[in-house]
């Protein structure tokens, strides 16, 4: 249907765009605090297993579907299955998930933009570490301010997606990603000199069994792997659809997974040492990145420069991820409804903007914040506000279920010959084919189902262990 869908300029362009989608707030903001909440070492090991055994095969499956069909998720799945197949539900799930995830993602990205402003105007100068922590709390509670930055961030995202694949998404990924790597290395060197590095390292990689809850933490590791790798909702199907048919799916996926994981581990090894060196409590939850780094910058000679630079890059990392989320919904309207890119982007972006309003208000006392927290308390231990609920359900449930669907679809629904040829095309790693299929057929579905059922408390029926 679509005449000129657009295409990546080169393989490197695709790798950078896919890595740009994967590397984002999930790595720099979410991974460190989730790791802290789940007790470090053991969680990190479970996370790495989830990436290697579940995430990587699904990433290959998604890019494979997109590259084969040259179409966005709904159309791609339609073209690879029978008419009116229930598999189409997977395509729809992607469009819904794209709206939901981007709606709260944009709010966090907004925090990051606010911190560009704060650090550029030297607002942390002379503050104690505790006071820097308070700065985050007051931002979190300020609905109006959150709303303002949410709108600014969505406007930027819409602007890039409107510009299209090569001139928008690829162009920006090429510049921003390398810059992010350089800054991370600078910060790592700094973290190593703080004196908190050994403690921080032990915190991240040591075992704190009391914080690791088998059912809940394993689910969190799985959800984090899906979120961080941009899996389970067709973002990489969409990106794969702008790839030439002879590109290498296998090594590309390995590179993207590797980069993403490296950045997540780096982020944890940067943030915790800084926090420990400042004598602060590591239980900072969603504020971790926004407390730890300003402390570091306020104490570094070059901090006045590095601070704004870092938060700018964090914003850009969020932006290259957000565009992949918006692109899923946008591509749907372009490919399926024949809308122009401009119209599709404005409608999907506008919709996300509205859906994000309750998330922006979630730190405050109103209905979406404090009152919802009170109301949900009995069910969700400390209570969850609107933002927490969306984040929890989309990451821990929607994405794993979507990934389960994609794995099952490719392993059992796509014909053997087409799947094998697709995998082998363009790659020197054809020998991995057998293993990939086995993982998709058995380990991925079983593993994901077990983790989900376990978290639901299914096993409690048999073993009377209702923790979850
Ligand atoms: N992976 C991104 C991050 O780590 C977020 C993201 C972008 C995403 N696209 C996605 C998550 C698609 C799930 C699905 O910040």
């Amino acid at each position: 249907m679509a005449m000129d869908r657009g295409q990546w300029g080169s393989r490197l362009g695709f790798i950078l765009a896919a890595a740009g989608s994967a590397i984002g707030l999930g790595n720099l903001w979410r991974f460190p605090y989730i790791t802290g909440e789940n007790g470090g070492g053991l969680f990190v090991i479970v996370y790495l297993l989830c990436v290697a055994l579940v995430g990587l095969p699904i990433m290959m499956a998604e890019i494979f579907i997109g590259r084969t069909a040259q179409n966005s998720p709904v159309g791609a799945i339609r073209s690879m299955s029978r008419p009116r197949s229930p598999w189409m539900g997977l395509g729809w799930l992607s469009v819904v998930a794209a709206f939901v995830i981007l709606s709260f993602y944009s709010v966090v990205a907004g925090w990051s933009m606010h911190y560009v402003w704060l650090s550029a105007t030297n607002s942390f100068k002379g503050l104690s570490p505790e006071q820097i922590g308070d700065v985050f709390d007051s931002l979190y509670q300020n609905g109006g301010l959150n709303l303002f930055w949410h709108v600014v961030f969505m406007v930027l995202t819409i602007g890039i997606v409107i510009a299209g694949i090569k001139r928008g998404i690829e162009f920006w990924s090429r510049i921003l990603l390398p810059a992010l790597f350089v800054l991370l290395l600078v910060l790592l060197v700094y973290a190593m000199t703080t004196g908190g590095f050994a403690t921080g390292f032990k915190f991240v990689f040591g075992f704190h069994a009391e914080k690791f809850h088998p059912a809940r933490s394993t689910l969190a590791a799985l959800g984090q792997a899906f979120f961080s790798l941009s899996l389970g909702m067709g973002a990489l199907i969409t990106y794969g659809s702008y790839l030439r048919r002879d590109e290498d799916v296998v090594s590309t996926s390995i590179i993207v997974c590797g980069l993403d994981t490296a950045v997540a581990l780096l982020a944890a090894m940067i943030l915790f040492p800084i926090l420990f060196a400042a004598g602060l409590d590591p239980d900072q939850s969603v504020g971790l990145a926004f407390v730890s780094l300003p402390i570091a910058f306020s104490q570094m000679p070059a901090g006045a420069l590095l601070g704004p630079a870092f938060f700018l890059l964090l914003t850009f990392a969020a932006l290259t991820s957000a565009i992949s989320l918006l692109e899923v919904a946008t591509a749907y309207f372009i490919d399926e409804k024949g809308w122009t890119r401009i119209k599709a982007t404005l409608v999907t972006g506008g919709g996300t903007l509205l859906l994000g309003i309750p998330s922006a208000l979630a730190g405050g006392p109103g209905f979406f914040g404090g009152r919802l927290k009170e109301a949900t308390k009995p069910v969700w231990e400390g209570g969850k506000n609107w933002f927490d609920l969306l984040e929890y359900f989309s990451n821990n449930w929607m994405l794993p279920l979507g990934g389960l669907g994609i794995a099952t679809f490719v392993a059992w629904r796509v014909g053997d010959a087409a799947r094998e040829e697709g995998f082998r095309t363009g790659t020197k790693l054809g020998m991995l084919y057998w293993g990939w299929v086995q993982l998709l057929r058995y380990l991925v579905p079983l593993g994901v189902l077990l983790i989900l059922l376990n978290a639901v408390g299914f096993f409690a029926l048999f073993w009377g262990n209702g923790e979850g």
Side-chain angles (χ1 to χ4, degrees):
M1 162 177 288
M3 311 115 279
D4 183 18
R5 299 189 66 251
Q7 208 163 54
W8 305 112
S10 67
R11 171 156 180 258
L12 181 67
F14 171 73
I15 291 181
L16 288 175
S21 165
I23 298 171
L25 298 171
N27 310 60
L28 302 166
W29 162 70
R30 197 168 188 271
F31 179 79
Y33 84 78
I34 297 272
T35 298
E37 282 177 358
N38 289 284
L42 196 51
F43 176 83
V44 173
I45 292 176
V46 175
Y47 176 75
L48 293 178
L49 287 175
C50 287
V51 168
L53 299 177
V54 178
L56 180 60
I58 294 182
M59 183 177 287
M60 292 175 183
E62 283 204 25
I63 300 178
F64 159 77
I65 295 177
R67 192 199 56 179
T68 305
Q70 300 278 306
N71 207 335
S72 48
V74 174
I77 290 175
R78 185 193 320 107
S79 74
M80 293 170 83
S81 52
R82 291 202 203 89
R84 304 193 172 214
S85 152
W87 289 109
M88 294 289 292
L90 268 180
W92 296 108
L93 179 77
S94 340
V95 180
V96 174
F99 279 108
V100 173
I101 297 178
L102 185 53
S103 76
F104 67 78
Y105 199 85
S106 167
V107 172
V108 181
W111 298 345
S112 158
M113 299 182 81
H114 187 59
Y115 272 66
V116 174
W117 165 252
L118 288 182
S119 48
T121 52
N122 232 340
S123 312
F124 299 112
K125 190 126 198 118
L127 297 191
S128 71
E130 268 101 71
Q131 287 170 320
I132 291 179
D134 294 342
V135 171
F136 178 76
D137 291 338
S138 58
L139 165 65
Y140 182 66
Q141 290 156 13
N142 188 337
L145 198 55
N146 277 300
L147 209 53
F148 170 75
W149 288 114
H150 164 62
V151 173
V152 174
F153 185 77
M154 280 311 302
V155 168
L156 286 178
T157 309
I158 293 170
I160 294 185
V161 173
I162 279 187
I165 304 306
K166 226 181 286 182
R167 280 188 307 134
I169 300 176
E170 181 174 344
F171 176 81
W172 286 101
S173 306
R174 272 176 187 271
I175 302 176
L176 300 176
L177 222 62
L180 181 69
F181 283 123
V182 173
L183 243 138
L184 279 177
L185 290 179
V186 172
L187 283 172
L188 182 69
V189 171
Y190 169 76
M192 288 174 144
T193 60
T194 55
F197 198 70
T199 327
F201 197 87
K202 261 195 231 137
F203 182 77
V204 177
F205 293 104
F207 285 58
H208 308 272
E210 73 292 349
K211 283 194 173 176
F212 188 89
H213 305 275
R216 183 154 34 91
S217 300
T218 311
L219 179 68
L222 184 76
Q224 173 61 22
F226 275 98
F227 183 71
S228 187
L229 297 170
S230 298
L231 297 177
M233 49 143 287
L236 294 181
I237 295 181
T238 310
Y239 270 26
S241 75
Y242 306 120
L243 209 49
R244 285 209 328 258
R245 279 223 166 86
D246 57 356
E247 289 290 5
D248 178 347
V249 169
V250 184
S251 42
T252 304
S253 306
I254 294 175
I255 295 173
V256 173
C257 273
L259 286 176
D260 187 73
T261 308
V263 172
L265 293 174
L266 266 178
M269 287 183 335
I270 291 170
L271 297 188
F272 284 111
I274 292 172
L275 218 55
F276 282 112
L280 282 184
D281 172 10
D283 286 346
Q284 300 281 340
S285 171
V286 295
L288 179 61
F290 297 98
V291 174
S292 201
L293 292 171
I295 294 174
F297 298 132
S298 75
Q299 294 168 356
M300 291 161 79
L305 222 75
L306 284 180
F310 181 83
F311 284 108
L312 203 59
L313 280 173
L314 182 60
T315 305
F316 286 140
L319 202 52
T320 54
S321 299
I323 54 186
S324 75
L325 287 161
L326 190 59
E327 179 63 23
V328 173
T330 304
Y332 166 79
F333 287 104
I334 295 176
D335 290 343
E336 296 295 311
K337 307 285 174 204
W339 291 6
T340 60
R341 177 165 280 275
I342 296 185
K343 176 175 171 194
T345 316
L346 288 177
V347 170
T348 52
T352 316
L353 217 155
L354 293 181
L355 190 63
I357 294 175
S359 288
L361 303 179
F367 174 75
F368 296 111
R371 276 177 49 205
L372 194 60
K373 234 173 156 152
E374 276 311 309
T376 55
K377 209 161 206 161
V379 192
W380 308 108
E381 299 169 27
K384 283 179 160 60
N385 61 30
W386 174 268
F387 174 99
D388 303 331
L389 284 172
L390 283 195
E391 220 234 334
Y392 175 79
F393 278 112
S394 57
N395 297 349
N396 292 8
W397 296 91
M398 270 206 278
L399 298 180
L401 282 173
L404 177 68
I406 287 163
T408 316
F409 178 74
V410 169
W412 299 99
R413 184 69 219 116
V414 175
D416 288 334
R419 183 178 51 237
E420 177 153 7
E421 199 213 296
F423 186 90
R424 292 188 188 276
T425 302
T427 190
K428 295 201 183 77
L429 298 172
M431 70 277 191
L432 297 178
Y433 177 70
W434 186 85
W436 177 61
V437 174
Q438 305 311 309
L439 286 177
L440 286 185
R441 282 219 158 126
Y442 306 108
L443 192 111
V444 169
L446 273 177
V448 171
L449 270 180
L450 279 179
I451 294 173
L452 294 180
L453 287 177
N454 191 22
V456 162
F458 184 79
F459 292 119
L461 297 175
F462 301 98
W463 285 302
N465 163 20
E467 172 277 328

